[in-house]
Amino acid sequence: KSILFVCALACALALATGDPSNDDATLASGVSVKGEGNIFVPFDRETLKVEIKASSQDLSAGSEVLNAFEENRANFLAYLFENVTGLSEENVFPEARKFGIVNEDVSEPGSSSNYVDVLKASQAILIDTELEQEQSEPNFSQFRTRIESETDDDFIQQLHSEIQGETFEGVSTVAFDYNDGGMKKYVSASAQQAVQKELMAQAFADAKQQAEMIANLSGMTLGSVQTIHDINDNNGMWTEFYKKGDITQRNSQDLGENFRMQIEVTFNLV
């Protein structure tokens, strides 16, 4: 809960000193308080980062590796646009393409590590789109869920076979990969901006309510605002991320972030 700070009660001090010059004067006095606003905002965007790649232990197979990479990339994007509703080029954000020799572990799962020099072409692609509700047609949420599932091996194998193009001798057949850090849901900047005014109103109302209590206790009346200070970073807002199961007061399955704002307000006391 917010901590109250009484800056000055000059009238009370004047009366305590018995200064007759202050009997009929309205002396400057004020109270400073912290107010807080708090709004839960459901996620409205989701992303998936996929690495398209091709590699070969034949360090002279540069053209074959690049050709395989380009074909895998084109086939993967074509698969997305044809099989996942609502996706287009506007949802795809490719990172810089990488091409060169890397020292990579080529061992089979469960066997000892075997690091060798590999010629590799790769590119990370971020797919960013509006968070959709579950539908009967194949949408991005369903596609993303199947990609990140550790048990849906059949789908992963089918996807690999769908996007794997022409076979280039000596080039790895692994066409794409992903990591958990590339999969997330988040609250968009526009959704954050939409709640900023309401957060400020909540914080100010909270501060004013506390200041009125202090004014009543001191036998004075709350006057106009002297100053308002934003005491948070990130444009006055900070967030708390809720994972599944952490929200005990919500019946909805929609998850999101809890946005907070804290301000310090100084009111006149008269």
Side-chain angles (χ1 to χ4, degrees), residues 24-203:
D24 298 321
T26 302
L27 299 182
S29 59
V31 56
S32 291
V33 292
K34 291 181 180 179
E36 183 177 300
N38 190 324
I39 297 178
F40 180 85
V41 184
F43 296 128
D44 64 329
R45 304 286 299 182
E46 61 180 332
T47 65
L48 170 66
K49 183 179 285 188
V50 176
E51 183 187 30
I52 308 299
K53 60 184 180 179
S55 61
S56 175
Q57 295 184 39
D58 181 357
L59 302 185
S60 65
S63 60
E64 289 84 355
V65 169
L66 286 174
N67 289 337
F69 161 77
E70 293 293 349
E71 188 160 348
N72 290 340
R73 181 184 186 280
N75 289 345
F76 178 75
L77 293 178
Y79 177 90
L80 281 181
F81 301 151
E82 292 173 8
N83 293 278
V84 183
T85 59
L87 289 185
S88 68
E89 292 283 356
E90 295 180 351
N91 302 107
V92 176
F93 300 88
E95 297 181 2
R97 188 184 68 176
K98 299 178 181 179
F99 177 62
I101 298 174
V102 296
N103 192 250
E104 197 169 74
D105 184 5
V106 296
S107 62
E108 295 294 329
S111 61
S112 300
S113 299
N114 179 24
Y115 284 89
V116 299
D117 286 338
V118 172
L119 186 62
K120 181 177 179 181
S122 65
Q123 183 178 43
I125 296 177
L126 180 69
I127 307 161
D128 186 324
T129 187
E130 182 178 355
L131 180 60
E132 301 164 327
Q133 301 299 320
E134 291 298 326
Q135 303 171 8
S136 58
E137 57 188 2
N139 61 24
F140 184 72
S141 293
Q142 295 169 340
F143 175 77
R144 178 181 176 275
T145 299
R146 296 191 74 180
I147 283 286
E148 64 183 323
S149 172
E150 296 180 356
T151 59
D152 209 346
D153 292 336
D154 290 341
F155 173 71
I156 298 297
Q157 292 178 7
Q158 177 186 352
L159 181 57
H160 270 290
S161 64
E162 288 277 353
I163 71 172
Q164 184 68 44
E166 180 182 348
T167 300
F168 295 89
E169 185 177 355
V171 177
S172 170
T173 58
V174 178
F176 79 97
D177 200 359
Y178 68 93
N179 60 62
D180 293 342
M183 298 181 291
K184 68 175 183 177
K185 299 178 183 180
Y186 68 99
V187 178
S188 65
S190 59
Q192 294 181 41
Q193 293 171 358
V195 301
Q196 198 162 16
K197 185 176 181 180
E198 185 179 352
L199 276 172
M200 176 67 78
Q202 283 188 11

Side-chain angles (χ1 to χ4, degrees), residues 204-220:
F204 182 80
D206 184 36
K208 185 177 181 181
Q209 182 181 33
Q210 297 176 62
E212 286 174 339
M213 293 173 58
I214 294 175
N216 290 335
L217 289 172
S218 65
M220 304 180 75

